[in-house]
């Protein structure tokens, strides 16, 4: 593997830190509320019904859209845009940065998504049916709503940011990909502040439910809060959820200069590709991705205190990821492993960023949140250090590794260090 300099040997201008977090999840709209839900076992999954598909379950966010958007902007924009605007504004507020005196041309926006435009297209086709498919009634908002850069673009409009903005399509690895892109652009001096993470509006498209159902990969349970059950022998699929998480990223020298609170430093990252199947993951390539991130951070598996797993609750997906994790962490006696999707379902493009946020507070409280709904562990998902159903307090937490994988074989991992 390529040799990398130790993070401490880099100049502060090349060390990238997290100074703010803005999020909305099915069980909390602040870092504090989200963390409390993860420690208290509170699920955010509930009954849901969507046209054409009918009754199902989903993770639904309940944030105040009008807190940062006008009614007009929310109406002409998208749900993903509203999620992004809420999270970006909250991240800036959380960072304590002097926004009024920030040069907006030096702010970059890097937002990961699984998909975009399906919600708007489905809705407009539904409406046009009532007019015998007369395209004269087609919305003039369609194109700006569905262009790929929309979620990042809506944030730019909302906050009057004139620096670079783009949306990163990386399937369910997109949250990590947004974070990695923000780091890289800061190191390249393309911006001085990065708004980076991921958003998802997935529950508002019937197509995603129908697609997973046709694959036999859509979760069901009499009790919605127990439907998302990664690693459990009786898991039966994915709970589709919406959500978002955006971070403010800065160079360490800038964060120090303004006396910012620092959540952690990004010391390792990697993205690679299976190149073997549309849907089924490749554990060898996933393990390779994890090892690449560890190598960049100049760490061994035994240095990692928490591994946040991607596991979505599908039979093959969970088992194959566990294979990958055992390849890397099978001999580590200090690594603890957890999963946030058991609480909130799969927030798609937001998953990597949102699930990381749920673990970052552990640097301070030294508690590893559990995987819930784990009543009967699948032997194929046996992992050393798996934290089941109840939080676990440990002596020190210095490093977190965050897994996030997606369709078409895209894999990502990030490593965050306590500051």
């Amino acid at each position: 593997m390529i040799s990398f300099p130790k993070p401490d040997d880099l100049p502060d201008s090349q060390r990238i830190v997290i100074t703010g977090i803005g999020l909305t999840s099915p069980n909390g709209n602040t870092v504090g509320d989200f963390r409390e839900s993860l420690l208290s076992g509170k699920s955010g999954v509930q009954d849901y019904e969507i046209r054409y598909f009918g009754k199902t379950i989903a993770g639904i966010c309940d944030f105040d859209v009008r807190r940062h958007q006008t009614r007009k902007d929310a109406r002409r924009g998208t749900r993903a845009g509203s999620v992004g605007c809420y999270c970006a504004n909250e991240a800036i507020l959380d960072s304590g940065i002097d926004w009024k005196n920030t040069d907006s041309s030096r702010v970059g926006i890097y937002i990961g998504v699984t998909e975009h435009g399906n919600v708007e297209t489905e809705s407009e086709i539904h409406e046009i049916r009532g007019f015998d498919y007369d395209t004269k009634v087609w919305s003039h908002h369609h194109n700006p709503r569905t262009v790929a850069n929309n979620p990042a673009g809506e944030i730019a409009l909302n906050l009057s940011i004139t620096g670079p903005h783009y949306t990163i399509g990386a399937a369910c690895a997109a949250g990590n990909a947004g974070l990695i892109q923000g780091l890289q652009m800061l190191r390249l001096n393309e911006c001085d502040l990065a708004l980076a993470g991921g958003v998802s509006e997935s529950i508002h498209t019937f197509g995603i439910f129908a697609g997973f159902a046709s694959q036999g990969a859509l979760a069901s349970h009499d009790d919605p809060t127990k439907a998302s059950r990664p690693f459990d022998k009786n898991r039966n699929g994915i709970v589709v959820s919406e959500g978002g998480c955006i971070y403010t990223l800065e160079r360490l020298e800038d964060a120090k200069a303004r006396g910012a609170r620092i959540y952690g430093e990004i010391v390792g990252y990697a993205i690679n590709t299976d190149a073997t199947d549309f849907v089924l993951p490749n554990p060898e390539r996933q393990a390779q991705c994890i090892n690449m991130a560890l190598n960049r951070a100049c760490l061994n598996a035994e240095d990692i205190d928490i591994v946040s797993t991607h596991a979505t609750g599908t039979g093959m997906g969970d088992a194959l990821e566990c294979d990958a994790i055992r390849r890397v962490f099978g001999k580590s006696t200090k690594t603890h492993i957890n999963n946030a999707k058991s609480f909130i379902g799969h927030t798609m493009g937001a998953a990597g960023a949102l699930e990381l946020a749920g673990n970052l507070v552990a640097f301070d409280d030294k508690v590893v949140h559990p995987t819930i709904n784990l009543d009967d562990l699948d032997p194929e998902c046996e992992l050393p250090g798996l934290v089941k159903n109840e939080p676990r307090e440990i002596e020190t937490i210095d490093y977190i590794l965050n897994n996030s994988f997606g369709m078409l074989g895209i894999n990502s991992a990030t490593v965050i260090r306590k500051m």
Side-chain angles (χ1 to χ4, degrees):
M1 283 191 176
I2 298 171
S3 295
F4 293 97
K6 292 182 178 180
D8 287 336
D9 292 338
L10 292 171
D12 286 356
S13 62
Q14 290 290 294
R15 295 174 62 183
I16 309 304
V17 295
I18 297 168
T19 57
I21 307 173
L23 65 80
T24 179
S25 77
N27 62 358
N29 295 318
T30 67
V31 179
D33 288 346
F34 183 41
R35 178 67 175 174
E36 176 57 32
S37 292
L38 296 177
L39 296 183
S40 64
K42 179 183 177 183
S43 171
V45 179
Q46 57 186 288
D47 288 319
Y48 183 62
E49 186 169 356
I50 187 168
R51 66 168 172 257
Y52 304 137
F53 188 79
K55 293 182 179 180
T56 183
I57 51 180
I60 306 167
C61 293
D62 183 21
F63 64 96
D64 182 4
V65 173
R66 294 291 305 282
R67 177 168 162 81
H68 298 297
Q69 279 187 298
T70 67
R71 181 180 286 109
K72 179 182 178 181
D73 286 343
R75 187 174 64 250
R76 72 178 181 179
T78 66
R79 177 65 172 182
S82 290
V83 170
C85 290
Y86 179 86
C87 293
N89 277 276
E90 292 297 300
I92 289 167
L93 290 171
D94 187 55
S95 73
I97 198 166
D98 181 4
W99 185 247
K100 289 184 178 179
N101 292 309
T102 296
D103 181 357
S104 71
S105 70
R106 296 292 297 168
V107 179
I109 308 169
Y110 312 103
I111 306 300
V113 296
T114 297
E115 82 294 317
H116 182 66
N118 293 341
V119 172
E120 290 70 35
T121 301
E122 285 181 3
S123 295
E124 288 161 21
I125 290 173
H126 175 75
E127 292 297 323
I128 204 173
R129 286 182 62 199
F131 298 89
D132 195 27
Y133 297 101
D134 184 354
T135 56
K136 291 178 182 178
V137 301
W138 191 256
S139 172
H140 65 283
H141 295 307
H142 175 81
N143 289 351
R145 281 172 174 165
T146 59
V147 289
N149 64 310
N150 172 280
E154 286 200 47
I155 294 169
L157 288 168
N158 179 266
L159 284 161
S160 300
I161 293 170
T162 60
H165 85 268
Y166 46 88
T167 305
I168 301 161
C172 300
N176 266 351
L179 199 62
I180 292 167
Q181 186 67 37
L183 174 148
Q184 292 173 330
M185 296 298 272
L186 284 163
R187 284 184 170 172
L188 290 171
N189 199 32
E190 295 294 327
C191 60
D192 295 326
L193 177 72
L195 296 172
V199 301
S200 173
E201 60 183 3
S202 296
I203 68 167
H204 301 281
T205 165
F206 70 84
I208 196 166
F209 291 95
F212 281 132
S214 69
Q215 289 177 261
L218 189 68
S220 62
H221 199 283
D222 291 340
D223 180 351
T225 67
K226 296 184 182 300
S228 187
R229 44 196 319 111
F231 311 132
D232 191 84
K233 187 181 292 185
N234 296 309
R235 66 190 182 279
N236 61 8
I238 292 169
V239 171
V240 181
S241 301
E242 65 174 346
C245 182
I246 294 175
Y247 298 93
T248 55
L249 305 183
E250 300 179 63
R251 301 181 189 93
L252 179 58
E253 64 178 5
D254 295 332
K256 282 181 175 179
R258 68 180 188 87
R261 174 197 53 197
I262 296 174
Y263 283 98
E265 178 183 3
I266 307 171
V267 293
Y269 64 87
I271 296 177
N272 74 349
T273 306
D274 293 343
T276 50
D277 193 85
F278 270 59
V279 178
L280 286 178
N282 182 320
E284 182 180 353
R285 295 282 81 77
Q286 289 182 340
Q288 181 187 58
C289 184
I290 295 168
N291 279 320
M292 288 164 61
L294 291 174
N295 184 49
R296 188 181 292 273
C298 300
L299 298 173
N300 299 311
E302 293 76 14
D303 296 315
I304 300 298
D305 300 291
I306 299 175
V307 172
S308 175
T309 60
H310 175 74
T312 62
T314 62
M316 289 296 292
D318 288 11
L320 291 171
E321 181 182 357
C322 289
D323 181 356
I325 291 171
R326 284 191 294 267
R327 292 177 189 225
V328 182
F329 296 99
K331 295 182 180 179
S332 176
T333 59
K334 63 166 291 189
T335 302
H336 298 77
I337 297 170
N338 64 9
N339 179 275
K341 290 184 181 72
S342 58
F343 293 85
I344 60 173
H346 192 352
T347 57
M348 306 296 164
L354 191 51
E355 291 161 14
L356 173 62
N359 276 305
L360 282 179
V361 183
F363 285 144
D364 296 322
D365 63 27
K366 297 181 176 61
V367 178
V368 185
H369 81 70
T371 302
I372 60 170
N373 297 329
L374 192 41
D375 302 325
D376 188 2
L377 178 64
D378 183 346
E380 290 191 74
C381 297
E382 184 72 51
L383 292 168
L386 182 61
V387 180
K388 297 175 280 189
N389 297 317
E390 296 293 334
R392 184 179 302 172
E393 188 170 352
I394 59 177
E395 191 172 327
T396 60
I397 298 176
D398 296 313
Y399 290 98
I400 296 169
L401 184 137
N402 190 55
N403 282 343
S404 199
F405 308 130
M407 289 184 179
L408 283 302
I410 187 167
N411 306 312
S412 69
T414 52
V415 181
I416 316 299
R417 177 173 70 173
K418 179 180 179 180
M419 290 292 289

